[in-house]
Amino acid sequence: MRKINFFDTTLRDGEQSPGVNLNTQEKLAIAQQLEKLGVNIMEAGFPASSPGDFNAVKEIARTIKNCSVTGLARSVKGDIDSAWEALKDGAEPRLHIFIATSDIHLKYKLKKTREQVLEQAVAMVKYAKERFPIVQWSAEDACRTDLPFLAEIVSEVIAAGADVVNLPDTVGYLVPAEYGNIFRYIKENARNADKVTLSAHCHDDLGMAVANSLAAIENGADQVESVINGIGERAGNASLEEIAVALYLRKDFYQAESTIQLNEIKRTSDLVSKLTGMAVPRNKAVVGDNAFAHESGIHQDGFLKEKTTYEIISPELVGVKTDALVLGKHSGRHAFKDKLQNLGFQFGEEEVNKFFNIFKELTGKKKEFTDEDLISLILEEKTADRKIGYEFISLQVHYGTSQVPTATVSLKDQETDQIIQEAATGAGSVEAVYNTLKRCMDKEVQLLDYRIQSNRKGQDAFAQVYVRVMIDGKESGGRGVAQDVLEASAKAYLNAVNRYLVLKTNTEGLSKQAAVGS
């Protein structure tokens, strides 16, 4: 069977989803889970776009050893140099370089002729090959590019040293038959196309990203670029989990296989959903809560007689467990540590003890802990910034149907170690909490978005709150997890403010360095 390489771009294209902003620790957590999932290549970010992205890509490249880590670059030397500095310590550094090729992009965005774009593409591929052992070249908006010109520029970048050629449907415009035809055309008309790997990258604007990706595989693509949960620009990208399961279940048709560990799919999906704040729709294929639910009487009857009557994917195949081990107040340190290891966390004894103490304290309020509860708690602690901004100390809310909601909050200023206490009212409890936090921080913070969801069913489930705020004209996102909705709301708000302060501090530090250097 043919081997299909999975190029995961959750950390780059997925993070470009409006409202998503992952920090380095969160990116690293996702990267380590993607490594367990078995992806062949992961695109860790766009190193030249910001210091934060550069540092995240560098840390991921140093950490990940079982798959190739790549970064995106425009066809300019500065981007390529930045990517090399970020990726050079990786196990198999590779570059993903792109330039637009459609007439509409050339006319309105690049303001270049076809000849100029071809010359620039060839020159930058040659420049990249002086550093990177593997170079992937992408024709942005290939789907709307004149096919003879596309074949010509592909031929030239292959001659210049490109190892992988990506033909993306950048705006999700094509239908499967058309997209598959592009790959057939390039294989037949581009010189030495059989000497490189052809890659598919599809967006979901018309809801056909997965179908188009599979059509590309049918027509000669040996690499598919996709994203966990299908997140990304606009309507998102092709969903990795859907393509991987389709190839596995229909190997009789596609005659292709991959290295994806299907039983890690659900865990990866949940992690990405938690850290990005983008909830997975209940009816989402493969990973949605309803993917293995049967409510219709006819369906239930058939399912009870024989599962395959109405279930082509078993829950166990993608890592959905119905009888997962649940920790509770009687669980000991050994069982707790073993559970952390099974979830993929590798901590020293000091960190294990810290998390165990938090866990034991919470078991007095919460009867049992699922895997999702533990993951949420650990990620909340690991991503919390303890050096810049504010630390949550306590919260008290007074509410009654005939009273004005009043909140009292205690915070610790990390820079001065000063304890700040304030109180304020609001039309509702959450508004009272946020009005109080504004007083504590003496900042003009505008709430743009507020979302809440529970970890699982049950009245003792953890609440997860996601917020977007505007501070000094800059947007920032935050996440909070707690058994109490109001506490989770306060933590999410503080997390967003702290992220802004960290970014501001880093930016000011870079500005000072630049001033000294000049």
Side-chain angles (χ1 to χ4, degrees), residues 25 51 120 142 148 159 178 186 192 218 233 284 324 382 413 486 495:
Q25 290 178 322
Q120 185 176 350
E178 292 175 308
I186 293 301
N192 295 317
E218 285 183 68
E233 290 272 12
K284 171 78 167 63
K382 290 291 286 182
D413 187 318
L486 296 178
N495 186 243

Side-chain angles (χ1 to χ4, degrees), residues 9-169:
T9 183
T10 302
L11 297 173
R12 200 275 301 171
D13 209 331
E15 200 207 8
Q16 290 176 200
S17 302
V20 174
N21 181 19
L22 300 170
N23 62 31
T24 298
Q25 290 178 322
E26 291 166 338
K27 279 195 165 190
L28 188 57
I30 292 174
Q32 290 172 318
Q33 181 56 36
L34 290 173
E35 185 178 30
K36 290 182 64 178
L37 180 64
V39 302
N40 306 100
I41 305 104
M42 71 173 72
E43 190 168 42
F46 189 171
S49 65
S50 70
D53 234 31
F54 177 90
N55 291 330
V57 173
K58 188 171 186 177
E59 185 65 25
I60 291 168
R62 287 176 171 177
T63 304
I64 301 301
K65 301 302 178 186
N66 295 320
C67 76
S68 182
V69 177
T70 187
L72 187 68
R74 294 166 298 184
S75 292
V76 294
K77 289 183 178 181
D79 279 21
I80 296 170
D81 292 340
S82 180
W84 174 246
E85 288 303 314
L87 294 161
K88 63 184 180 182
D89 295 328
E92 186 187 61
R94 69 171 66 201
L95 180 70
H96 182 193
I97 184 174
F98 74 96
I99 194 168
T101 54
S102 68
D103 287 339
I104 191 169
H105 275 245
L106 268 59
K107 180 179 179 179
Y108 295 105
K109 187 179 78 171
L110 298 182
K111 303 187 186 303
K112 293 179 181 289
T113 65
R114 290 182 178 181
E115 292 72 21
Q116 289 173 320
V117 165
L118 192 153
E119 181 181 352
Q120 185 176 350
V122 168
M124 290 303 97
V125 168
K126 288 181 178 178
Y127 184 77
K129 280 298 286 186
E130 294 174 3
R131 291 153 180 76
F132 289 88
I134 302 175
V135 172
Q136 171 172 318
W137 178 83
S138 286
E140 186 183 10
D141 206 26
C143 65
R144 295 187 292 179
T145 299
D146 176 65
L147 287 180
F149 175 61
L150 185 62
E152 180 186 3
I153 195 169
V154 166
S155 299
E156 294 302 326
V157 296
I158 292 174
D163 305 281
V164 181
V165 171
N166 179 36
L167 306 172
D169 186 2

Side-chain angles (χ1 to χ4, degrees), residues 187-474:
K187 288 182 75 72
E188 294 170 0
N189 293 278
R191 296 187 306 276
N192 295 317
D194 59 330
K195 300 294 195 299
V196 299
T197 297
L198 293 184
S199 181
H201 179 118
C202 298
H203 282 261
D204 208 34
D205 297 72
L206 292 178
M208 291 187 280
V210 170
N212 281 344
S213 299
L214 292 170
I217 290 172
E218 285 183 68
N219 288 277
D222 289 315
Q223 177 176 293
V224 63
E225 304 185 13
S226 52
V227 172
I228 301 300
N229 298 337
I231 63 175
E233 290 272 12
R234 303 181 312 280
N237 292 261
S239 298
L240 181 149
E241 61 276 4
E242 295 178 25
I243 299 172
V245 172
L247 288 180
Y248 176 80
L249 287 182
R250 296 309 313 274
K251 65 181 67 172
D252 59 321
F253 180 82
Y254 292 104
Q255 293 294 303
E257 59 186 1
S258 74
T259 59
I260 297 298
Q261 302 300 302
L262 300 180
N263 62 350
E264 290 290 338
I265 283 177
K266 188 63 167 70
R267 194 191 314 276
T268 312
S269 170
D270 289 346
L271 180 65
V272 170
S273 176
K274 287 184 195 333
L275 294 184
T276 60
M278 298 188 70
V280 176
R282 295 186 67 85
N283 65 330
K284 171 78 167 63
V286 180
V287 293
D289 286 346
N290 290 353
F292 306 103
H294 305 274
E295 185 170 337
S296 161
I298 295 174
H299 284 222
Q300 289 174 341
D301 178 65
F303 176 79
L304 291 172
K305 291 173 179 174
E306 169 53 48
K307 290 183 178 181
T308 56
T309 54
Y310 288 103
E311 193 171 87
I312 63 168
I313 309 169
S314 69
E316 294 78 16
L317 178 68
V318 295
V320 175
K321 299 177 182 178
T322 56
D323 58 347
L325 172 65
V326 178
L327 294 177
K329 67 178 182 179
H330 299 298
S331 300
R333 193 181 307 270
H334 184 238
F336 181 79
K337 182 178 180 180
D338 184 66
K339 171 61 75 173
L340 292 184
Q341 291 175 342
N342 289 337
L343 290 175
F345 294 107
Q346 300 295 326
F347 295 135
E349 287 301 318
E350 185 176 339
E351 281 191 298
V352 170
N353 290 337
K354 182 183 79 170
F355 291 128
F356 181 70
N357 290 334
I358 295 172
F359 160 73
K360 292 298 281 186
E361 181 180 344
L362 288 171
T363 54
K365 307 174 185 176
K366 184 173 170 62
K367 185 183 296 184
E368 57 184 33
F369 277 72
T370 64
D371 292 356
E372 290 76 16
D373 293 333
L374 286 174
I375 290 171
S376 295
L377 273 177
I378 290 168
L379 291 174
E380 182 71 13
E381 288 294 320
K382 290 291 286 182
T383 59
D385 189 278
R386 299 301 181 188
K387 297 178 181 178
I388 300 174
Y390 304 90
E391 179 182 350
F392 177 82
I393 302 296
S394 67
L395 167 69
Q396 188 171 2
V397 179
H398 295 282
Y399 172 79
T401 55
S402 59
Q403 297 176 337
V404 177
T406 305
T408 304
V409 172
S410 295
L411 303 179
K412 179 180 179 182
D413 187 318
Q414 296 287 11
E415 293 186 9
T416 64
D417 283 338
Q418 178 185 357
I419 300 298
I420 305 168
Q421 291 184 321
E422 285 286 355
T425 61
S429 297
V430 173
E431 185 180 36
V433 171
Y434 286 177
N435 286 342
T436 308
L437 288 171
K438 283 184 184 179
R439 283 191 177 184
C440 289
M441 296 177 287
D442 193 27
K443 295 183 182 300
E444 186 56 42
V445 183
Q446 179 186 358
L447 183 66
L448 302 177
D449 188 23
Y450 175 91
R451 282 174 287 152
I452 183 171
Q453 66 184 71
S454 64
N455 259 7
R456 60 185 184 87
K457 298 177 181 178
Q459 63 183 19
D460 65 347
F462 275 151
Q464 295 188 76
V465 173
Y466 304 92
V467 301
R468 298 288 300 171
V469 300
M470 178 79 76
I471 310 173
D472 296 335
K474 302 288 186 181

